[in-house]
Amino acid sequence: MNGMKSFFKISPVFLIAGLMIGGVDALLAAPAATLYAAIVAIFTEKLSFNDLLDISVENVKELNLVFFILMMAYAMAEVFMASGVGASIIIMALNLGVTGKTIAVVGFFVTSVLSVATGTSWGTFAACAPIFLWLNHIVGGNLLLTAAAIAGGACFGDNIGLISDTTVVSSGIQKVEVIDRIRHQGVWAVLSVIAAGVIFFLMGLGLPGNTASASDAINQITPDVMNYLQVERPSSVVLLNQVQQGVPLYMIIPLLLVLIAAIKGLPTIACLGIGIIASFGLGSVAGTIENLGAFSKLVMAGFEDAGSWVIVMMMWIGAFGGIMSKIKAFDPLSKLVLKLVKNVRQLMFANGILSILGNAALADEMAQIVTIGPIIKDLTDQNVEASEEDMYKLRLRNATFGSSLGVFGSQLVPWHVYIGFYVGIASAVYPLHNFVPMDIIKYNFMAMISVATILICTLTGLDRFIPGFDIPSEPSVSLKKENSRVKSKIS
């Protein structure tokens, strides 16, 4: 009987997972799962409707700051793309010269920086694939190496960018500050980029040394491809036009100011505000921002994009998590994991494995974040004894698991929606090759390095050699079951 009751309590997770695997939009799956969780709570815990409403509202209240950050993040992404910040990054890199030997590594670093500036991996890939795949064609590079390089680089900012929805949402679910999370994983993320960049460079050494320009590549793009991009990612067309027409290189300054503010430890909203204001000022001088009215429309468009999907979805997920936590739905999973692990590091490693398995099962990184995120949070909060400072570090690692193993893990799963999108874009903008998932996966060294190193470092304790990336271990922290054994022996 207890087994059936436990299964009934956790069944809302299977419902939301099943709906999202079946292609149901998160905006429908999340409220459906929340309503079902409420029914489960009424039957198993005899909670009233008012009790459930209070629990849901209270849990959503804790996400208020996350909602403001998301609105600001979407606004800054919109402004950065339209004002020329993104185009300046591409132009600056390509001015250094691109050859068959360097096309993959240049594309990798450009997309890494651009994804930080825009906060979107899908948008970055859609904007850069036409440039770098056709440049690759002209200079005689390795097509699949270049495609995998820009795919891996595009994911970098989606994992660590201040304005990435996956970064913001995963941090919000674990109740950590976005800026703290970025500082926690910053050195590790940069080291992963450097390691992957070195491999891409070495892989290109035997290729031709021919050169070409971005204009040459953009001129190769057919009207059909441009029409496709206009429908799929309109902002990418704006960026391509800016790259072709040119923008002042000082338009990179807003991004630099945001990065400096983040390094200095300013609050996330302050960093975003600096980026938006700087983009308006410099964009007005450069002529990419026509007037205050046009700028206001960009900001409002960002607010609308955030409010039309991610904020609404987060509110339902907040309510869902509050109800599931109240009925202790994850207790059976917690007990199973505790039987398998012997210390806190092994527990955190198990959280990482749950994240990667959830990502593969759900085939959607955001679905993994909102479904598995509350589970690994409860596993940690309920089973670890530690000071508040040490618990916060563990939450930072869980937040990093959410987006890192979500975004980079997606690059290693052939049936993932991420890979499907990349394959679709690549095939559309470069019709000379029929791309398949393994074309993106087999050379995606950034994804391989990121997934492997975060799991290995978490399990072995090698993260202590990476500044800011270490998590506490015994005796500073301990599993509650170990403490219970000690107490029972003493008594």
Side-chain angles (χ1 to χ4, degrees):
M1 182 63 72
N2 286 336
M4 288 296 294
K5 184 177 181 180
S6 297
F7 179 80
F8 188 41
K9 284 184 176 182
I10 203 170
S11 61
V13 172
F14 297 119
L15 175 63
I16 192 173
L19 289 173
M20 297 190 78
I21 290 173
V24 177
D25 192 279
L27 286 181
L28 294 177
T34 302
L35 292 174
Y36 176 55
I39 294 171
V40 171
I42 290 171
F43 278 100
T44 60
E45 302 298 322
K46 309 302 180 186
L47 295 173
S48 68
F49 177 79
N50 286 335
D51 290 334
L52 293 171
L53 190 60
D54 290 341
I55 292 165
S56 300
V57 171
E58 194 61 35
N59 210 49
V60 171
K61 279 182 182 178
E62 297 183 16
L63 297 172
N64 281 341
L65 180 59
V66 177
F67 299 152
F68 281 103
I69 291 173
L70 281 168
M71 287 191 294
M72 293 283 284
Y74 272 67
M76 193 173 95
E78 195 76 22
V79 171
F80 269 20
M81 188 68 81
S83 65
V85 174
S88 69
I89 294 168
I90 295 176
I91 293 170
M92 190 174 294
L94 297 183
N95 281 348
L96 299 176
V98 176
T99 69
K101 297 177 184 294
T102 62
I103 180 67
V105 69
V106 170
F108 173 67
F109 283 118
V110 167
T111 50
S112 294
V113 176
L114 184 61
S115 60
V116 170
T118 61
T120 167
S121 52
W122 288 30
T124 296
F125 188 85
C128 290
I131 298 174
F132 284 100
L133 295 185
W134 281 107
L135 266 177
N136 181 89
H137 175 82
I138 296 169
V139 300
N142 183 317
L143 176 65
L144 301 188
L145 185 69
T146 300
I150 61 175
C155 289
F156 177 69
D158 215 357
N159 167 56
I160 197 174
L162 270 174
I163 56 179
S164 164
D165 54 2
T166 54
T167 301
V168 175
V169 171
S170 59
S171 299
I173 287 175
Q174 301 301 328
K175 294 181 170 56
V176 298
E177 289 284 343
V178 176
I179 199 71
D180 292 338
R181 146 76 186 285
I182 291 173
R183 295 172 78 176
H184 167 71
Q185 71 175 88
V187 175
W188 162 73
V190 170
L191 290 175
S192 297
V193 164
I194 293 172
V198 169
I199 296 175
F200 283 122
F201 174 75
L202 294 175
M203 291 287 289
L205 287 179
L207 296 171
N210 305 327
T211 61
S213 68
S215 292
D216 294 334
I218 295 174
N219 288 333
Q220 298 275 339
I221 303 173
T222 64
D224 288 344
V225 170
M226 281 297 193
N227 291 335
Y228 174 84
L229 289 174
Q230 185 64 49
V231 173
E232 292 294 320
R233 291 282 156 170
S235 57
S236 65
V237 177
V238 175
L239 187 143
L240 287 172
N241 289 334
Q242 289 179 343
V243 170
Q244 190 168 35
Q245 296 165 8
V247 297
L249 296 184
Y250 59 70
M251 284 310 303
I252 200 173
I253 292 176
L255 173 60
L256 299 178
L257 291 176
V258 171
L259 295 177
I260 292 170
I263 293 170
K264 289 291 186 180
L266 268 66
T268 306
I269 287 184
C271 296
L272 297 173
I274 289 170
I276 292 172
I277 293 170
S279 296
F280 171 65
L282 292 171
S284 298
V285 174
T288 53
I289 300 292
E290 294 179 4
N291 50 51
L292 182 59
F295 173 76
S296 299
K297 288 181 180 179
L298 291 172
V299 173
M300 289 301 298
F303 288 169
E304 288 173 4
D305 285 345
S308 66
W309 185 78
V310 68
I311 290 179
V312 177
M313 185 268 296
M314 279 292 293
M315 292 179 71
W316 281 108
I317 289 299
F320 176 78
I323 295 172
M324 295 295 282
S325 179
K326 181 66 177 180
I327 65 177
K328 299 181 179 179
F330 306 125
D331 275 7
L333 179 61
S334 176
K335 291 175 182 177
L336 174 62
V337 171
L338 284 176
K339 286 181 180 180
L340 300 175
V341 303
K342 296 181 180 179
N343 55 48
V344 173
R345 279 199 173 274
Q346 290 182 9
L347 173 64
M348 298 303 291
F349 176 76
N351 285 348
I353 296 298
L354 285 173
S355 298
I356 197 77
L357 291 177
N359 197 23
L362 296 170
D364 184 283
E365 78 290 345
M366 187 62 77
Q368 175 267 136
I369 289 170
V370 301
T371 304
I372 306 298
I375 296 176
I376 63 176
K377 180 181 183 299
D378 282 355
L379 277 172
T380 307
D381 291 350
Q382 295 176 9
N383 297 301
V384 176
E385 288 190 355
S387 66
E388 184 53 39
E389 180 182 355
D390 285 339
M391 283 300 298
Y392 192 73
K393 290 181 179 179
L394 297 179
R395 294 189 191 109
L396 288 172
R397 180 57 55 85
N398 279 336
T400 306
F401 280 150
S403 67
S404 295
L405 296 177
V407 174
F408 289 121
S410 72
Q411 301 296 286
L412 306 176
V413 179
W415 56 87
H416 202 281
V417 294
Y418 238 118
I419 292 294
F421 175 80
Y422 283 2
V423 166
I425 288 290
S427 297
V429 302
Y430 188 79
L432 301 184
H433 179 82
N434 183 29
F435 287 87
V436 296
M438 285 308 298
D439 290 342
I440 305 292
I441 294 172
K442 66 181 179 181
Y443 290 126
N444 202 325
F445 303 118
M446 182 64 190
M448 297 175 192
I449 290 170
S450 298
V451 170
T453 55
I454 193 172
L455 291 174
I456 292 171
C457 286
T458 299
L459 181 62
T460 63
L462 290 174
D463 53 11
R464 66 183 181 274
F465 297 111
I466 303 175
F469 196 55
D470 62 308
I471 58 174
S473 302
E474 282 76 3
S476 300
V477 295
S478 60
L479 291 178
K480 290 182 179 179
K481 71 172 185 178
E482 294 299 325
N483 289 341
S484 298
R485 289 175 183 170
V486 172
K487 290 177 182 177
S488 62
K489 288 181 178 179
I490 294 175
S491 59

